[in-house]
Amino acid sequence: MTTARERILEATTQLLAESDAPAISTRAICERAKVGGPEIYRQFGDKQGLLAAVADVGFERFLANKRRNPLTADPVADLRTAWDSHVAFALANPHLYRLMFTPTGDPKPQAVKEAQGLLLEALRRCGEAGRLRLAPELAGQSILAANVGVCLMMLSYPELFGSLDISQAVRDAVIGKVTGDEQEDTRISAATVLARALAGTLTGTAPVDSTTIEQVARALDN
């Protein structure tokens, strides 16, 4: 028999399959979980505490997928596979993904540290093979920030950034830079424009505007 906490987590996860977290009311959660309103506060403190717990459940699924990625003799190729599986998870779970990687308020999900740890393990393999230009920590931060940024742009602007070609171009540019495996690619001009847009958006220094979107659209057409 499931507990009230488990039913609330499951109900919230189900509702996140339909809409973003801000659109989900505690009343809808309680109705689906078949619990009274005060139960959320007894179990999680408040709605933000509940959302952080749901994000951690999402990370458990995300990390389980990561661990299923096969390891090959080519650690750089494995990095690309990990990037692609990250993107696939985001596209399959858009609302949950936003909750996981764009948390508001406190507490924030802590499992992102484990995701970074798995990436560091992969990068250490690259280092042991003599295929890493940066310190593993900096390389990991760069790759994860770019990967998350691409996913958020794909979810927010699918008509411009929804193509997997763009994800793959940014993937190859970033991973190539940190490992020394740069390759010439006709998609690189679009990837460069997108990378600059992502950097500005993630740091808050230059949010994506209509001019940036037009630049990326022109790059995609070339």
Side-chain angles (χ1 to χ4, degrees), residues 30-119:
C30 291
E31 287 178 352
R32 184 163 298 204
K34 295 181 171 52
V35 298
E39 193 65 35
I40 287 178
Y41 300 94
R42 280 196 293 267
Q43 297 290 339
F44 303 97
D46 55 20
K47 184 181 178 182
Q48 182 59 37
L50 167 59
L51 292 177
V54 172
D56 279 327
V57 171
F59 270 109
E60 290 176 8
R61 290 169 49 193
F62 175 79
L63 293 168
N65 286 343
K66 287 283 188 182
R67 294 188 186 97
R68 284 194 289 269
N69 289 336
L71 294 182
T72 71
D74 186 343
V76 176
D78 292 347
L79 282 178
R80 296 191 182 98
T81 297
W83 176 293
D84 292 342
S85 71
H86 183 133
V87 171
F89 181 91
L91 296 179
N93 305 276
H95 306 304
L96 177 60
Y97 185 87
R98 287 194 184 96
L99 176 64
M100 290 163 56
F101 285 98
T102 59
T104 58
D106 291 310
K108 290 182 171 59
Q110 296 300 303
V112 68
K113 297 176 182 177
E114 189 173 350
Q116 186 73 349
L118 287 178
L119 181 54

Side-chain angles (χ1 to χ4, degrees), residues 15 19-31 40 47 50:
L15 290 167
S19 59
D20 273 326
I24 299 174
S25 68
T26 54
R27 179 178 179 180
I29 295 169
C30 291
E31 287 178 352
I40 287 178
K47 184 181 178 182
L50 167 59

Side-chain angles (χ1 to χ4, degrees), residues 145-158:
N147 207 169
V148 172
V150 163
C151 289
L152 293 176
M153 294 297 279
M154 293 178 80
L155 297 178
S156 299
Y157 300 96

Side-chain angles (χ1 to χ4, degrees), residues 183-219:
Q183 300 174 358
E184 288 296 325
D185 195 321
T186 57
R187 302 166 297 182
I188 215 67
S189 60
T192 300
V193 175
L194 177 55
R196 290 173 180 165
L198 292 174
T201 299
L202 292 171
T203 60
T205 58
V208 174
D209 56 20
S210 59
T211 300
T212 301
I213 292 173
E214 289 173 3
Q215 289 175 334
V216 175
R218 285 197 299 272

